[in-house]
Amino acid sequence: MDYYKKCNKLFEIYEKEMLEYYNISFLGGAMKRSILLILLSVCILCACNGNKEIYEPLKLSYKEDTYISRGMIAACYDDKIYYFSDGNGQNGIYVMNQDGSDNQLVLECQDIQGLQILNNKIYISEQEEEEYRRKRTFGLYKYDLDEKLREDVIHPLIRKKTANGFPGIGGFFIDESENVFLNVNSYNDKREWVIKLMFYQKNDIQPFGEKAVLIANLEEKNTKKLFSLYQLENNYFASSSGKKDPKDYGQNSLDYKCIMDTYGYNSKSECSWWNGDEFANKWNHVVRIWGIYENKVILTVDHVLFAYDLADSVICDTLVFSKTGKIIYVNLKGDNFYAILEEDTPSVYNKKKDKSHQILYKVTHDFSDYDVVKDYGTDGKMIYIDEEHLLDYDGESICLYNMENGRVGEKTGSYLLEFPLKSLGYQIDVAGEWLFIKHYDYKKKSSKLVKKINFYHDLKNN
């Protein structure tokens, strides 16, 4: 009887939504009884699996420099560190000195998935109060540190341009001219999931594809897929939007003039940006741009590393890794390039435990040679690397190593965590000499900063 009551209640909610969104009503008693039987079966299955743990992949904000002014939950600006926290019971953006002193709340906000500080303004991708199709959505907001004024950056026309409502943004970037680049997530008229990259400046709102200049089409000989390279002022973008047959991706992106799986790079700030792996991992071919080195655009297509010469308009270097993996990060700074190849990359669309396998490689600038720096197996993750240090997670602890000529040297410290990071909605970011770990509780629908660690001082003395 309890299950019947639950089914009847679920049906009333379902019937109300169908009437509200699709103008469909259920008048026949036979239809209602049939649906109730189906819902009854679902309730029984849910009861049997109610204790099953839900896994969410660990998200890391890979950075080429820990002192850049953007990140997932933390960033550096004007010799200070801005970060998301729930200090004193209040969620928001806090600021502190580089040594961790003088913590202050500067902006109250809900959970965030992106942060950038530019021209004394804080930009955040903040969780909206209202959900879209029972999923969290994120908007874009700006806070002027001088005027103490908060504004909604999402122009109303962008919501109107998004089919079937506004389900939020997947990523954003603000360039030096305060031009706004947005990945707007939406469904098209055929109820297929698409990602639209929108560009706009002040009140001039246009799809990115109508504003940017196509400077190259890169075709993979074996698969005959076409990949595109765009430029807009100091911004470069690599995308899979120029493919010959959009049906290969299960999307009709050309009809919507959108750019899917779009990764960008700003040559002036030397900063790369992306829409978020939770969206990119859904498609088979992911194109990512990591930067410009000696007038060559360095980009990846799944497991292949390319160098595109801007002067000669040709692909000058290519390096192919294992076909079963994807290159998820490339660091171009230093005497070598560093690349992470990940196999079995998790997605928020599959509620399975993260069993991804990471391998960190060292690559010469001309792609002529590469070598394994560290194989993390299925337990560990790389967090940050430069020519002097390697910061990673070994499945239990945060570890710091010295780097010596592109090889892992002595471990200089570690910090044992009391919780596993590769499940249950954890996020890691680095800013300055600090590591931040945020956790989102999917049951309570709340976020909190669970760890703030100085990875030179705390790890060495732990």
Side-chain angles (χ1 to χ4, degrees):
M1 182 61 67
D2 288 339
Y3 283 129
Y4 182 83
K5 290 181 179 179
K6 289 181 180 179
C7 288
N8 192 55
K9 183 64 175 177
L10 286 172
F11 177 80
E12 290 176 357
I13 296 173
Y14 178 72
E15 185 178 27
K16 181 179 179 181
E17 289 192 356
M18 292 296 287
L19 183 62
E20 179 180 351
Y21 291 106
Y22 305 105
N23 198 27
I24 298 176
S25 62
F26 301 101
L27 301 178
M31 180 182 288
K32 184 172 183 178
R33 284 193 297 272
S34 298
I35 294 176
L36 283 174
L37 286 174
I38 295 173
L39 290 175
L40 175 60
S41 302
V42 173
C43 286
I44 293 173
L45 290 173
C46 291
C48 295
N49 295 279
N51 295 324
K52 184 177 181 180
E53 190 172 14
I54 297 176
Y55 290 93
E56 294 291 345
L58 170 66
K59 298 178 183 178
L60 295 101
S61 179
Y62 291 117
K63 293 179 176 178
E64 60 273 27
D65 185 342
T66 63
Y67 289 89
I68 63 175
S69 61
R70 71 182 313 273
M72 184 183 296
I73 58 173
C76 287
Y77 179 76
D78 196 22
D79 203 31
K80 293 184 181 293
I81 298 177
Y82 292 79
Y83 63 98
F84 174 86
S85 179
D86 59 328
N88 300 322
Q90 176 60 59
N91 283 16
I93 304 301
Y94 288 73
V95 62
M96 68 179 186
N97 295 326
Q98 292 286 346
D99 62 3
S101 63
D102 196 20
N103 287 263
Q104 296 181 20
L105 174 68
V106 294
L107 174 62
E108 294 183 9
C109 63
Q110 299 299 316
D111 190 22
I112 67 170
Q113 67 173 5
L115 168 68
Q116 182 178 352
I117 304 99
L118 177 72
N119 297 336
N120 228 29
K121 301 179 182 70
I122 300 175
Y123 294 85
I124 55 172
S125 175
E126 181 187 8
Q127 180 179 339
E128 304 270 62
E129 293 184 2
E130 296 183 3
E131 295 183 342
Y132 180 80
R133 301 183 186 274
R134 298 179 182 146
K135 294 181 180 180
R136 294 201 299 162
T137 64
F138 291 82
L140 182 60
Y141 297 89
K142 176 177 66 175
Y143 179 74
D144 192 310
L145 291 169
D146 296 322
E147 302 294 334
K148 310 299 181 186
L149 179 64
R150 174 189 170 112
E151 298 180 50
D152 185 354
V153 179
I154 301 293
H155 194 281
L157 289 179
I158 285 199
R159 300 177 187 269
K160 292 182 180 180
K161 282 178 175 286
T162 309
N164 300 319
F166 177 71
I169 65 172
F172 75 93
F173 177 73
I174 317 296
D175 71 6
E176 64 278 1
S177 300
E178 297 192 26
N179 296 324
V180 180
F181 298 87
L182 291 175
N183 284 105
V184 181
N185 312 316
S186 178
Y187 292 91
N188 61 24
D189 294 337
K190 296 180 180 180
R191 302 190 61 72
E192 297 171 322
W193 182 260
V194 299
I195 294 179
K196 299 181 180 180
L197 179 64
M198 307 291 291
F199 162 80
Y200 72 101
Q201 180 180 15
K202 297 181 180 179
N203 294 324
D204 176 24
I205 303 174
Q206 296 183 8
F208 175 79
E210 297 177 4
K211 197 77 173 179
V213 177
L214 177 66
I215 60 175
N217 278 328
L218 313 179
E219 186 170 355
E220 201 174 32
K221 294 181 180 179
N222 295 329
T223 61
K224 300 298 181 182
K225 296 294 189 300
L226 193 64
F227 303 99
S228 306
L229 185 63
Y230 296 84
Q231 182 179 1
L232 183 56
E233 297 179 5
N234 293 320
N235 303 288
Y236 293 82
F237 300 88
S239 167
S240 58
S241 65
K243 49 193 170 292
K244 294 179 179 178
D245 187 0
K247 294 180 181 178
D248 290 343
Y249 293 80
Q251 309 293 328
N252 198 2
S253 63
L254 294 182
D255 290 347
Y256 284 81
K257 297 181 181 179
C258 69
I259 295 185
M260 296 164 46
D261 306 340
T262 305
Y263 288 64
Y265 174 78
N266 181 270
S267 59
K268 187 169 184 178
S269 64
E270 297 185 349
C271 179
S272 60
W273 68 284
W274 51 91
N275 64 17
D277 287 346
E278 62 269 29
F279 300 107
N281 289 335
K282 188 179 180 183
W283 291 281
N284 293 327
H285 292 270
V286 179
V287 187
R288 306 180 179 185
I289 180 170
W290 303 103
I292 299 177
Y293 178 80
E294 294 184 349
N295 207 35
K296 300 173 185 177
V297 178
I298 309 299
L299 65 154
T300 56
V301 180
D302 294 340
H303 61 286
V304 184
L305 184 64
F306 291 101
Y308 180 83
D309 193 307
L310 290 171
D312 297 334
S313 301
V314 295
I315 297 175
C316 53
D317 299 304
T318 304
L319 180 60
V320 181
F321 291 90
S322 169
K323 290 184 178 181
T324 59
K326 292 182 180 179
I327 302 172
I328 64 169
Y329 173 69
V330 179
N331 190 320
L332 306 183
K333 295 190 174 181
D335 296 332
N336 299 281
F337 295 157
Y338 292 99
I340 299 176
L341 184 75
E342 186 170 80
E343 298 180 349
D344 298 321
T345 302
S347 167
V348 296
Y349 295 97
N350 60 30
K351 305 298 181 179
K352 297 180 180 179
K353 188 174 182 179
D354 182 358
K355 296 182 179 180
S356 58
H357 180 179
Q358 272 195 5
I359 303 176
L360 175 63
Y361 289 93
K362 175 183 67 173
V363 181
T364 57
H365 291 165
D366 60 359
F367 298 0
S368 61
D369 190 22
Y370 69 99
D371 193 14
V372 174
V373 176
K374 190 170 184 178
D375 189 333
Y376 286 97
T378 58
D379 294 324
K381 293 278 190 181
M382 195 212 80
I383 298 174
Y384 175 74
I385 189 170
D386 57 30
E387 286 299 302
E388 297 181 352
H389 301 98
L390 170 65
L391 185 68
D392 64 21
Y393 172 64
D394 66 4
E396 295 181 348
S397 303
I398 304 295
C399 304
L400 182 66
Y401 299 86
N402 286 331
M403 290 294 294
E404 301 171 357
N405 298 320
R407 297 185 179 276
V408 180
E410 176 188 5
K411 181 192 286 188
T412 59
S414 63
Y415 190 101
L416 180 64
L417 298 174
E418 60 271 20
F419 45 82
L421 287 180
K422 293 189 70 176
S423 63
L424 302 176
Y426 286 99
Q427 296 178 342
I428 294 180
D429 204 348
V430 288
E433 297 181 355
W434 293 84
L435 179 142
F436 301 85
I437 304 176
K438 181 172 75 73
H439 176 247
Y440 178 73
D441 191 316
Y442 286 85
K443 293 182 179 179
K444 297 181 181 180
K445 295 185 177 182
S446 62
S447 293
K448 63 183 300 184
L449 187 70
V450 294
K451 285 293 179 182
K452 183 177 68 174
I453 304 169
N454 184 298
F455 51 81
Y456 288 122
H457 180 270
D458 294 339
L459 269 62
K460 290 181 179 180
N461 294 284
N462 186 58

PDB file of all heavy atoms in Angstrom, residues 28-41:
ATOM      1  N   GLY A  28      -7.707   8.930 -19.357  1.00  0.00           N
ATOM      2  CA  GLY A  28      -8.201   7.559 -19.235  1.00  0.00           C
ATOM      3  C   GLY A  28      -7.715   6.876 -17.978  1.00  0.00           C
ATOM      4  O   GLY A  28      -6.543   6.931 -17.638  1.00  0.00           O
ATOM      5  N   GLY A  29      -8.628   6.189 -17.286  1.00  0.00           N
ATOM      6  CA  GLY A  29      -8.243   5.466 -16.077  1.00  0.00           C
ATOM      7  C   GLY A  29      -7.319   4.315 -16.383  1.00  0.00           C
ATOM      8  O   GLY A  29      -6.426   3.993 -15.600  1.00  0.00           O
ATOM      9  N   ALA A  30      -7.495   3.654 -17.530  1.00  0.00           N
ATOM     10  CA  ALA A  30      -6.649   2.521 -17.894  1.00  0.00           C
ATOM     11  C   ALA A  30      -5.205   2.965 -18.073  1.00  0.00           C
ATOM     12  O   ALA A  30      -4.259   2.297 -17.632  1.00  0.00           O
ATOM     13  CB  ALA A  30      -7.172   1.874 -19.182  1.00  0.00           C
ATOM     14  N   MET A  31      -5.051   4.140 -18.730  1.00  0.00           N
ATOM     15  CA  MET A  31      -3.691   4.655 -18.914  1.00  0.00           C
ATOM     16  C   MET A  31      -3.050   4.977 -17.577  1.00  0.00           C
ATOM     17  O   MET A  31      -1.877   4.688 -17.331  1.00  0.00           O
ATOM     18  CB  MET A  31      -3.716   5.907 -19.797  1.00  0.00           C
ATOM     19  CG  MET A  31      -2.326   6.504 -20.043  1.00  0.00           C
ATOM     20  SD  MET A  31      -2.378   8.010 -21.022  1.00  0.00           S
ATOM     21  CE  MET A  31      -2.791   7.314 -22.621  1.00  0.00           C
ATOM     22  N   LYS A  32      -3.839   5.576 -16.692  1.00  0.00           N
ATOM     23  CA  LYS A  32      -3.307   5.938 -15.378  1.00  0.00           C
ATOM     24  C   LYS A  32      -2.895   4.699 -14.601  1.00  0.00           C
ATOM     25  O   LYS A  32      -1.828   4.657 -13.976  1.00  0.00           O
ATOM     26  CB  LYS A  32      -4.356   6.733 -14.603  1.00  0.00           C
ATOM     27  CG  LYS A  32      -3.852   7.248 -13.241  1.00  0.00           C
ATOM     28  CD  LYS A  32      -4.858   8.192 -12.616  1.00  0.00           C
ATOM     29  CE  LYS A  32      -4.332   8.748 -11.308  1.00  0.00           C
ATOM     30  NZ  LYS A  32      -5.256   9.712 -10.701  1.00  0.00           N
ATOM     31  N   ARG A  33      -3.717   3.634 -14.643  1.00  0.00           N
ATOM     32  CA  ARG A  33      -3.371   2.416 -13.916  1.00  0.00           C
ATOM     33  C   ARG A  33      -2.102   1.783 -14.498  1.00  0.00           C
ATOM     34  O   ARG A  33      -1.258   1.271 -13.760  1.00  0.00           O
ATOM     35  CB  ARG A  33      -4.539   1.428 -13.980  1.00  0.00           C
ATOM     36  CG  ARG A  33      -5.692   1.796 -13.041  1.00  0.00           C
ATOM     37  CD  ARG A  33      -6.665   0.639 -12.914  1.00  0.00           C
ATOM     38  NE  ARG A  33      -7.291   0.312 -14.183  1.00  0.00           N
ATOM     39  CZ  ARG A  33      -8.413   0.888 -14.621  1.00  0.00           C
ATOM     40  NH1 ARG A  33      -9.010   1.822 -13.899  1.00  0.00           N
ATOM     41  NH2 ARG A  33      -8.934   0.545 -15.780  1.00  0.00           N
ATOM     42  N   SER A  34      -1.948   1.850 -15.815  1.00  0.00           N
ATOM     43  CA  SER A  34      -0.760   1.273 -16.439  1.00  0.00           C
ATOM     44  C   SER A  34       0.504   2.015 -16.005  1.00  0.00           C
ATOM     45  O   SER A  34       1.530   1.405 -15.694  1.00  0.00           O
ATOM     46  CB  SER A  34      -0.887   1.344 -17.972  1.00  0.00           C
ATOM     47  OG  SER A  34      -1.991   0.593 -18.406  1.00  0.00           O
ATOM     48  N   ILE A  35       0.382   3.340 -15.984  1.00  0.00           N
ATOM     49  CA  ILE A  35       1.539   4.125 -15.575  1.00  0.00           C
ATOM     50  C   ILE A  35       1.859   3.890 -14.110  1.00  0.00           C
ATOM     51  O   ILE A  35       3.026   3.799 -13.702  1.00  0.00           O
ATOM     52  CB  ILE A  35       1.292   5.623 -15.843  1.00  0.00           C
ATOM     53  CG1 ILE A  35       1.189   5.862 -17.350  1.00  0.00           C
ATOM     54  CG2 ILE A  35       2.400   6.485 -15.251  1.00  0.00           C
ATOM     55  CD1 ILE A  35       0.859   7.277 -17.732  1.00  0.00           C
ATOM     56  N   LEU A  36       0.806   3.739 -13.281  1.00  0.00           N
ATOM     57  CA  LEU A  36       1.021   3.469 -11.869  1.00  0.00           C
ATOM     58  C   LEU A  36       1.736   2.146 -11.660  1.00  0.00           C
ATOM     59  O   LEU A  36       2.611   2.016 -10.789  1.00  0.00           O
ATOM     60  CB  LEU A  36      -0.309   3.474 -11.117  1.00  0.00           C
ATOM     61  CG  LEU A  36      -0.912   4.851 -10.816  1.00  0.00           C
ATOM     62  CD1 LEU A  36      -2.289   4.697 -10.197  1.00  0.00           C
ATOM     63  CD2 LEU A  36      -0.010   5.643  -9.904  1.00  0.00           C
ATOM     64  N   LEU A  37       1.419   1.149 -12.462  1.00  0.00           N
ATOM     65  CA  LEU A  37       2.094  -0.136 -12.364  1.00  0.00           C
ATOM     66  C   LEU A  37       3.578  -0.002 -12.716  1.00  0.00           C
ATOM     67  O   LEU A  37       4.444  -0.611 -12.074  1.00  0.00           O
ATOM     68  CB  LEU A  37       1.414  -1.164 -13.289  1.00  0.00           C
ATOM     69  CG  LEU A  37       0.053  -1.692 -12.810  1.00  0.00           C
ATOM     70  CD1 LEU A  37      -0.567  -2.575 -13.884  1.00  0.00           C
ATOM     71  CD2 LEU A  37       0.218  -2.485 -11.517  1.00  0.00           C
ATOM     72  N   ILE A  38       3.849   0.792 -13.744  1.00  0.00           N
ATOM     73  CA  ILE A  38       5.243   1.012 -14.134  1.00  0.00           C
ATOM     74  C   ILE A  38       6.006   1.729 -13.020  1.00  0.00           C
ATOM     75  O   ILE A  38       7.116   1.346 -12.642  1.00  0.00           O
ATOM     76  CB  ILE A  38       5.318   1.831 -15.433  1.00  0.00           C
ATOM     77  CG1 ILE A  38       4.704   1.020 -16.587  1.00  0.00           C
ATOM     78  CG2 ILE A  38       6.764   2.215 -15.753  1.00  0.00           C
ATOM     79  CD1 ILE A  38       4.582   1.808 -17.882  1.00  0.00           C
ATOM     80  N   LEU A  39       5.368   2.769 -12.475  1.00  0.00           N
ATOM     81  CA  LEU A  39       6.003   3.505 -11.380  1.00  0.00           C
ATOM     82  C   LEU A  39       6.187   2.634 -10.149  1.00  0.00           C
ATOM     83  O   LEU A  39       7.156   2.781  -9.405  1.00  0.00           O
ATOM     84  CB  LEU A  39       5.178   4.747 -11.035  1.00  0.00           C
ATOM     85  CG  LEU A  39       5.176   5.862 -12.079  1.00  0.00           C
ATOM     86  CD1 LEU A  39       4.222   6.971 -11.670  1.00  0.00           C
ATOM     87  CD2 LEU A  39       6.571   6.414 -12.260  1.00  0.00           C
ATOM     88  N   LEU A  40       5.240   1.720  -9.905  1.00  0.00           N
ATOM     89  CA  LEU A  40       5.348   0.799  -8.781  1.00  0.00           C
ATOM     90  C   LEU A  40       6.606  -0.061  -8.947  1.00  0.00           C
ATOM     91  O   LEU A  40       7.361  -0.278  -8.000  1.00  0.00           O
ATOM     92  CB  LEU A  40       4.103  -0.085  -8.699  1.00  0.00           C
ATOM     93  CG  LEU A  40       4.113  -1.192  -7.626  1.00  0.00           C
ATOM     94  CD1 LEU A  40       4.265  -0.580  -6.239  1.00  0.00           C
ATOM     95  CD2 LEU A  40       2.846  -2.024  -7.695  1.00  0.00           C
ATOM     96  N   SER A  41       6.833  -0.537 -10.165  1.00  0.00           N
ATOM     97  CA  SER A  41       8.023  -1.347 -10.430  1.00  0.00           C
ATOM     98  C   SER A  41       9.295  -0.541 -10.207  1.00  0.00           C
ATOM     99  O   SER A  41      10.277  -1.048  -9.656  1.00  0.00           O
ATOM    100  CB  SER A  41       7.988  -1.870 -11.873  1.00  0.00           C
ATOM    101  OG  SER A  41       6.824  -2.636 -12.093  1.00  0.00           O
TER     102      SER A  41
END
